[in-house]
Amino acid sequence: MSVIVMLHRVLNACGLRVEDGRLVTRRRIEALGRRIFGKIDRAEYDRLVNSYWLPGEIRKARENERLFVEMALRLRLDRPPELKILDIGGKAGTFAFVCRCLGHEAWTTDLEPMLGRSPNPELFRLFDVPVFPLKISPFEQLPYTGRRYNLITGFRTRFHSRYTWETGLEHEIHWGPGEWDFLLRDLARNHLAPGGRIFFKLNRLQDREKNDDFPKPMRDYFASVGGELDGNLLLFRTVDRLREPP
């Protein structure tokens, strides 16, 4: 176990988190979460979340309340300036809701079937979050969405992976550096405003049977274009390298 991992565990046991070099207390995360989610009808929110079909979806929705507040603090969204934020694969719009409560403009996008699946439409209305459909496919440019963003995010991303139950094969299919490079350069050149950032909380990038770490070619690629990996968190503080010719 690395010294950094051990330090994070000690701090967490003390109710502290280091978020992108910023020491954040557990009490601060919980207090901000109560303030944000106190802006909506909590009984209605609980009813909608509990109507998800699968227990795993209910658990993730509950986890996301804390996760998204924590990630907003990590990205320093509790401070000026006001940003335009696009959350890719946002499902119910929870992260966009957190961002809007912190004074930003934020939009949620996902696959059209996911956006229309109950209780997501009801949650969009409860959160008062604007949504639109968007599908990410390998080596295909994304359509222009009408504006450029200061921050593009994605949590528990799935667009880059297809699992065995989806493919019918004995192995999973995952994007490599080529597919990622096409997407990231498209986001940087065509969808981000000057000074914009990209932040992903990644799902695994290779077969679970291998291990839950990221393959070295992917780690090397992200580093080569300015990406910073912290566990499964991928941050581009600047996209200058992605705007250069490959």
Side-chain angles (χ1 to χ4, degrees), residues 30-42:
E30 292 172 351
L32 183 57
R34 285 193 298 270
R35 177 164 68 85
I36 288 174
F37 286 92
K39 295 177 180 289
I40 57 174
D41 183 335
R42 185 71 199 203

Side-chain angles (χ1 to χ4, degrees), residues 1-238:
M1 184 185 300
S2 71
V3 174
I4 293 177
V5 172
M6 290 178 64
L7 178 59
H8 275 284
R9 289 187 176 181
V10 171
L11 290 172
N12 190 53
C14 297
L16 302 170
R17 296 295 299 271
V18 176
E19 296 295 352
D20 194 30
R22 180 185 184 190
L23 194 62
V24 178
T25 66
R26 186 182 303 160
R27 184 176 298 177
R28 163 75 170 138
I29 296 170
E30 292 172 351
L32 183 57
R34 285 193 298 270
R35 177 164 68 85
I36 288 174
F37 286 92
K39 295 177 180 289
I40 57 174
D41 183 335
R42 185 71 199 203
E44 177 65 3
Y45 172 75
D46 289 340
R47 184 188 71 79
L48 291 171
V49 167
N50 289 332
S51 72
Y52 275 117
W53 292 353
L54 300 176
E57 290 183 300
I58 298 173
R59 173 181 53 79
K60 283 185 179 180
R62 299 298 184 190
E63 291 174 355
N64 285 345
E65 295 177 38
R66 178 186 175 88
L67 169 67
F68 290 154
V69 172
E70 188 175 323
M71 293 298 100
L73 291 173
R74 182 186 186 93
L75 293 165
R76 302 177 187 266
L77 300 181
D78 58 324
R79 301 176 178 183
E82 179 182 313
L83 304 179
K84 288 182 170 63
I85 300 170
L86 175 66
D87 188 36
I88 294 174
K91 194 174 181 179
T94 311
F95 184 69
F97 167 69
V98 169
C99 294
R100 289 167 71 85
C101 287
L102 294 174
H104 306 284
E105 292 185 82
W107 292 261
T108 284
T109 184
D110 211 318
L111 297 174
E112 194 159 11
M114 180 61 71
L115 297 180
R117 184 178 143 199
S118 184
N120 292 334
E122 294 92 333
L123 285 166
F124 299 146
R125 289 192 289 272
L126 182 65
F127 289 149
D128 192 24
V129 168
V131 302
F132 57 88
L134 188 69
K135 180 179 181 180
I136 297 178
S137 299
F139 302 113
E140 290 186 14
Q141 282 193 333
L142 297 177
Y144 181 59
T145 63
R147 65 192 62 82
R148 286 182 176 263
Y149 304 93
N150 308 107
L151 174 63
I152 295 176
T153 61
F155 293 90
R156 297 189 175 104
T157 55
R158 278 288 314 277
F159 57 80
H160 49 79
S161 301
R162 296 182 66 200
Y163 300 154
T164 53
W165 60 268
E166 296 172 297
T167 64
L169 305 174
E170 294 183 357
H171 60 275
E172 302 172 357
I173 298 175
H174 299 274
W175 281 14
E179 292 92 340
W180 272 103
D181 192 65
F182 187 96
L183 172 67
L184 290 171
R185 290 184 189 277
D186 181 30
L187 293 177
R189 294 170 177 174
N190 302 316
H191 302 278
L192 276 177
R197 296 176 292 164
I198 298 172
F199 178 79
F200 287 134
K201 178 178 171 63
L202 299 164
N203 267 329
R204 67 182 188 273
L205 303 182
Q206 62 180 336
D207 289 20
R208 185 182 295 276
E209 288 74 16
K210 294 178 181 177
N211 57 55
D212 288 330
D213 195 10
F214 296 148
K216 188 175 185 301
M218 290 307 312
R219 287 188 276 114
D220 291 346
Y221 163 69
F222 289 139
S224 74
V225 291
E228 303 173 20
L229 271 174
D230 180 3
N232 65 345
L233 304 179
L234 174 64
L235 172 65
F236 289 86
R237 299 178 192 274
T238 173

